[in-house]
Amino acid sequence: MDVLENTTTALRQAEHIMVFTGAGISAESGIPTFRDRLTGLWARHDPQRLETAKAFRENPALVWGWYLWRRQQVLQAQPNAAHRAIARLADGGRQVTVITQNIDDLHERAGSQDVVHLHGSLMIPKCFACHRPAELSAVEQPVPHEGALIEPPRCTRCNGRLRSGVVWFGEDLPAGAWKTAAQTARSCDVMLSIGTSGVVMPAASLPDLALAAGAVVIHINPIDVCMDEPKELMLIGEAGQVLPALIERGLAR
Ligand code: BV8
Ligand code: ZN
């Protein structure tokens, strides 16, 4: 049987589907990924200078400004056909768990429920000192351009600086999020692994956990990221092009 038939059969027979996404699923919404050579964020920035607590300590205005700029991009973006197809997947009466590495809210805006954010969210800043969540709406600041230096607002409880609510390199993942993700990987029948280069750990170990537990893992990516394990399938293409047709076929039982 060919890959399309295998993926359709796996989806039709699945009772519990894990959807695991990376930056690639938001690429067609205009949100830059990290590693894509020309357009990726890391082609222009060193993540160690912007995505660590040390970077924030050394230059809070640069890091705060950078996350405000990225949040502004997300607010100006729309969910794409891939996000919408995933939201429709739950209509088929199956259990669908969305676990994302992304810090945008495009899955939620497309209608997916209970999305698990392994690496936090751009939408909920918190205090760097006491970790109290803050209302970003209370600190709206216009971001003139990428790289703008913007002094972070202060925590109303302890006067510490506010920081982005994302997980930086060297920081632990939210305990509940990682526990849910690992449990889901071990119990799902099918994992759709969409738009991820599989580099950042421990998130990148989730497809291996699923394969080790006997699930079928279907990768969707313009680049072949398959490790050629027996129950791995590779659909080469952009998520916005591939997913809608795959979900329609998979939903029809
Ligand atoms: C941790 C939020 C325990 C922030 C992110 C030394 C010290 C400490 C830790 C480490 C260390 N060395 C290594 C580590 C572990 C480290 C790590 O993995 N580093 C890597 C660089 C090797 N991990 C951590 O630090 C994690 N914490 O380990 O805690 C600990 C604690 C203390 C001490 C030791 C250990 C925390 C990692 C979380 C980092 N935060 N995001 C922000 O966004 O600014 S990571 C960020 O990068 C994303 O969330 C995502 O996870 C990752 C990027 O990966 P992708 O999403 O896959 O995106 P990428 O651009 O790479 O790929 C896009 C893909 O899409 C490509 O394949 C492309 O082909 C494809 N694509 C493009 N277009 C489309 C498409 N696909 C489909 N359709 C399209 N249209
Ligand atoms: Zn505080």
Side-chain angles (χ1 to χ4, degrees), residues 21-28 32-36 40-42 47-48 50-51 66-67 70 80 82 100-103 118-120 122 166-173 194-203 220-223 225 237-241:
T21 60
I25 197 169
S26 297
E28 290 156 272
T33 63
F34 291 85
R35 277 184 192 76
D36 285 327
L41 287 171
W42 292 348
Q48 295 305 323
L50 286 164
E51 298 185 39
W66 192 56
Y67 280 99
R70 288 181 61 192
N80 64 54
T100 187
Q101 301 172 79
N102 298 341
I103 57 177
L118 287 175
H119 296 154
L122 276 170
V166 303
V167 176
W168 281 327
F169 286 105
E171 294 188 320
D172 279 322
L173 275 56
I194 306 163
T196 183
S197 60
V199 172
V200 172
M201 297 300 270
I220 295 167
N221 196 314
I223 294 173
V225 292
E238 300 206 320
Q241 310 300 316

Side-chain angles (χ1 to χ4, degrees), residues 189-210:
D189 307 306
V190 170
M191 175 193 278
L192 290 172
S193 179
I194 306 163
T196 183
S197 60
V199 172
V200 172
M201 297 300 270
S205 63
L206 290 168
D208 302 330
L209 287 183

Side-chain angles (χ1 to χ4, degrees), residues 67-82:
Y67 280 99
L68 277 188
W69 173 75
R70 288 181 61 192
R71 177 178 173 270
Q72 188 168 276
Q73 281 194 309
V74 169
L75 294 177
Q76 287 162 359
Q78 293 303 324
N80 64 54

Side-chain angles (χ1 to χ4, degrees), residues 33 51 56 98-99 104 127 138 148 156 186 195 215 248:
T33 63
E51 298 185 39
F56 183 77
V98 181
I99 308 275
D104 63 49
C127 173
T156 51
R186 290 195 181 97
E248 290 321 311

Side-chain angles (χ1 to χ4, degrees), residues 24-127:
I25 197 169
S26 297
E28 290 156 272
S29 296
I31 308 278
T33 63
F34 291 85
R35 277 184 192 76
D36 285 327
R37 225 178 5 276
L38 297 178
T39 56
L41 287 171
W42 292 348
R44 302 196 298 274
H45 299 293
D46 168 6
Q48 295 305 323
R49 268 190 72 241
L50 286 164
E51 298 185 39
T52 62
K54 180 172 175 292
F56 183 77
R57 270 190 220 95
E58 286 168 1
N59 197 333
L62 174 71
V63 175
W64 175 257
W66 192 56
Y67 280 99
L68 277 188
W69 173 75
R70 288 181 61 192
R71 177 178 173 270
Q72 188 168 276
Q73 281 194 309
V74 169
L75 294 177
Q76 287 162 359
Q78 293 303 324
N80 64 54
H83 296 106
R84 291 194 297 274
I86 288 166
R88 269 202 314 280
L89 192 55
D91 297 347
R94 295 168 183 80
Q95 186 185 354
V96 176
T97 311
V98 181
I99 308 275
T100 187
Q101 301 172 79
N102 298 341
I103 57 177
D104 63 49
D105 61 350
L106 297 181
H107 279 304
E108 290 88 343
R109 284 162 55 193
S112 287
Q113 312 282 324
D114 308 325
V115 177
V116 176
H117 284 268
L118 287 175
H119 296 154
S121 167
L122 276 170
M123 303 303 154
I124 316 159
K126 61 185 180 182
C127 173

